[in-house]
Amino acid sequence: MNVRALAAKAIFNVLEKGISLSVALPDQQQHLENGKDKALLAELCYGVMRQLPQLDKCVSDCLSKPFKGKQRILHQLLLVGCYQLYFTRIPAHAAISETAEACRQMKFDGLVKVVNGVLRNIQRKEAPLNTDNDTLKYNTPAWFIKRLKSAYPDQWQQVIEQSHQRPPMWLRNNQLSQTREQYLALLAEQEVEASAGASDDAILLASPTDVMRLPGFAEGSASVQDGAAQWAATLLAPETNELVLDACAAPGGKTCHLIETAPNISLVAVDFDEKRLERVQQNLDRLQLKAQVIHGDAANIDTWWQGEKFDRILLDAPCSATGVIRRHPDIKWLRKNSDIDELALLQQQIIDHCWKWLKPGGTMLYATCSILPEENSQQIEQFLQRTSDATLVPIAQQSSADDIGWQLLPGQNNCDGFYYARLVKAL
């Protein structure tokens, strides 16, 4: 089956079945052997997700009646065709013929002429894509735009613009293997252009590259992790022999970084999602690190932990992931406005419960990859109001000491959108 057909299947699974692109894309890539074909498939899927409202409007306007039932996947196929015509260098005749061939391969022989005709009509018109409302202009859901305008009245357009950029590739140097300077030298030997980031182990690549090109990657010399996420270990600052909980640990990047930073801690990594928890163990194994990995609920620690209270807790809370849309553009279409209040309630339950399991004098680092105040500064402000033994400790990188935590916006320092708040429990 050709790349366009596989792209239509992946996009159908996201938009019609609610499956994340990070799952739907690899499911289709496994049918391809050629690396270039896999890259093209990713480009088509990510591109459609980034430009979805405009492409959808363009295709819908060219159809006399919408596809329904089993034929609905042909709407997604036309999105793929339309994306090629507007946003790629693929010659129009090749984009149209390959997309029509995909229709045939998907056993819709009787509709090949329809697909071909719609795409040729789009090509002939050469009309600019519709921007009649904010959703079309910014390729962003109206509810999300409204929340951004409220939270960032002077920056909301910039936030959206950054969320549409292609993300850079960050590495985390494993300080147990070598210093960052030594690893930068190894990268230079392999002609991989890179520079040091703001946090201690962060390395920014000039352009994304295959991990197999990275020196010592399979042996654990480095890991792929965004620069914003790498602040977690630095800000939690675990010390030798401490008992540390990584709540909501999957997929394990921060888990491993904590141990690399302080190899003699006892670390407990827990996550509610058993399948994603496998990734935590895989990461630990590659880096030859040890932690106690537990399938459990961070909002109900009593059911799976009978040990002592924790010296430090990293709570990377479940969130809307609105800070990482540039990496996962399907988030815009999988999230609903009502999800935000539901997530805020879940975060409140988890933070209150984890706090009970923190030792007096202990530190909790609350983190999300969200940019919405309801999940971040407002969440922590409400926690402080109801928790008498909690103190917020300012983070040096905050723009103001009066801020409630540290909010990074997408693109700031070339990083993803992220939020941190450091809390200390009274003795």
Side-chain angles (χ1 to χ4, degrees):
M1 195 167 283
N2 78 12
V3 173
R4 281 78 177 173
L6 297 174
K9 285 189 171 188
I11 294 163
F12 179 87
N13 286 335
V14 174
L15 299 180
E16 305 289 336
K17 296 185 177 179
I19 298 170
S20 73
L21 188 57
S22 60
V23 173
L25 177 58
D27 281 351
Q28 302 308 320
Q29 282 179 321
Q30 67 181 345
H31 299 296
L32 300 169
E33 293 183 4
N34 185 291
K36 287 186 177 179
D37 286 344
K38 289 184 178 184
L40 176 58
L41 178 55
E43 164 67 20
L44 296 176
C45 291
Y46 276 93
V48 168
M49 290 300 156
R50 288 192 176 104
Q51 311 294 147
L52 183 61
Q54 289 180 347
L55 297 173
D56 191 61
K57 174 71 173 165
C58 181
V59 168
S60 297
D61 286 351
C62 290
L63 288 170
S64 56
K65 58 180 181 179
F67 291 114
K68 294 182 178 178
K70 290 182 179 179
Q71 295 178 357
R72 180 65 185 163
I73 195 169
L74 294 182
H75 187 87
Q76 275 77 41
L77 180 62
L78 284 170
L79 296 177
V80 172
C82 189
Y83 176 76
Q84 292 171 84
L85 293 175
Y86 275 97
F87 295 103
T88 72
R89 295 179 180 177
I90 298 168
H93 67 88
I96 294 170
S97 64
E98 287 292 322
T99 306
E101 174 59 24
C103 181
R104 188 175 290 108
Q105 290 183 8
M106 293 160 71
K107 312 294 187 197
F108 293 106
D109 297 60
L111 292 165
V112 172
K113 286 185 178 179
V114 175
V115 169
N116 190 69
V118 168
L119 293 178
R120 290 203 178 280
N121 189 19
I122 291 170
Q123 181 203 5
R124 276 195 302 271
K125 284 182 178 178
E126 291 187 338
L129 290 168
N130 195 303
T131 57
D132 285 351
N133 57 49
D134 277 357
T135 294
L136 290 167
K137 183 177 181 180
Y138 297 107
N139 283 302
T140 299
W143 70 265
F144 187 42
I145 293 175
K146 185 177 178 181
R147 284 186 180 268
L148 288 177
K149 284 181 176 179
S150 174
Y152 306 102
D154 300 324
Q155 297 170 282
W156 66 273
Q157 289 166 301
Q158 183 184 341
V159 170
I160 290 175
E161 183 184 337
Q162 284 296 328
S163 293
H164 280 95
Q165 301 303 311
R166 292 166 190 252
M169 184 172 176
W170 285 88
L171 303 180
R172 184 186 77 240
N173 175 62
N174 182 356
Q175 56 183 265
L176 297 178
S177 297
Q178 68 279 308
T179 66
R180 178 169 60 179
E181 287 67 30
Q182 288 169 335
Y183 198 71
L184 283 166
L186 291 172
L187 288 170
E189 286 177 14
Q190 297 296 320
E191 297 184 345
V192 177
E193 189 180 345
S195 58
S199 60
D200 292 345
D201 301 309
I203 294 174
L204 177 63
L205 299 188
S207 59
T209 189
D210 188 325
V211 293
M212 290 300 103
R213 278 194 69 204
L214 302 174
F217 184 84
E219 295 74 35
S221 294
S223 300
V224 177
Q225 187 181 36
D226 186 77
Q230 293 190 44
W231 282 103
T234 300
L235 296 176
L236 188 63
E239 297 182 358
T240 299
N241 297 327
E242 286 187 331
L243 179 63
V244 178
L245 172 64
D246 184 358
C248 314
K254 300 179 189 70
T255 306
C256 295
H257 196 194
L258 287 166
I259 303 171
E260 290 169 1
T261 302
N264 293 319
I265 58 174
S266 298
L267 192 136
V268 177
V270 66
D271 202 275
F272 190 70
D273 188 331
E274 192 166 17
K275 187 168 178 59
R276 291 187 75 230
L277 205 57
E278 294 173 8
R279 291 273 309 280
V280 178
Q281 192 60 57
Q282 289 167 5
N283 279 317
L284 288 165
D285 291 344
R286 182 180 68 85
L287 294 162
Q288 300 176 46
L289 303 172
K290 295 197 180 301
Q292 193 170 346
V293 179
I294 297 174
H295 176 224
D297 186 354
N300 199 0
I301 296 172
D302 314 60
T303 59
W304 51 264
W305 184 254
Q306 283 74 50
E308 297 179 14
K309 290 185 176 182
F310 298 92
D311 295 288
R312 295 177 200 258
I313 296 176
L314 170 61
L315 173 49
D316 188 3
C319 72
S320 63
T322 45
V324 294
I325 287 172
R326 62 181 186 168
R327 294 191 187 279
H328 306 284
D330 52 314
I331 286 168
K332 292 186 291 185
W333 318 119
L334 295 176
R335 284 272 174 250
K336 303 186 297 292
N337 191 34
S338 58
D339 291 343
I340 307 307
D341 289 341
E342 292 173 12
L343 284 163
L345 181 59
L346 176 61
Q347 292 157 359
Q348 177 187 321
Q349 293 168 349
I350 296 174
I351 193 172
D352 284 349
H353 187 71
C354 284
W355 192 255
K356 296 175 183 175
W357 278 92
L358 184 66
K359 286 180 183 177
T363 298
M364 177 187 288
L365 185 68
Y366 177 85
T368 75
C369 56
S370 169
I371 54 175
L372 298 178
E374 294 86 349
E375 302 177 87
N376 297 339
S377 58
Q378 291 177 18
Q379 182 71 257
I380 296 304
E381 186 174 26
Q382 292 162 10
F383 173 75
L384 291 167
Q385 287 172 356
R386 66 178 180 268
T387 312
S388 59
D389 60 349
T391 301
L392 181 68
V393 179
I395 293 169
Q397 289 76 17
Q398 291 174 207
S399 56
S400 168
D402 296 328
D403 289 348
I404 300 174
W406 177 31
Q407 180 71 68
L408 288 98
L409 295 179
Q412 191 176 329
N413 302 326
N414 257 332
C415 292
D416 290 341
F418 227 85
Y419 176 80
Y420 289 108
R422 187 166 48 196
L423 302 154
V424 172
K425 195 171 192 177
L427 287 166

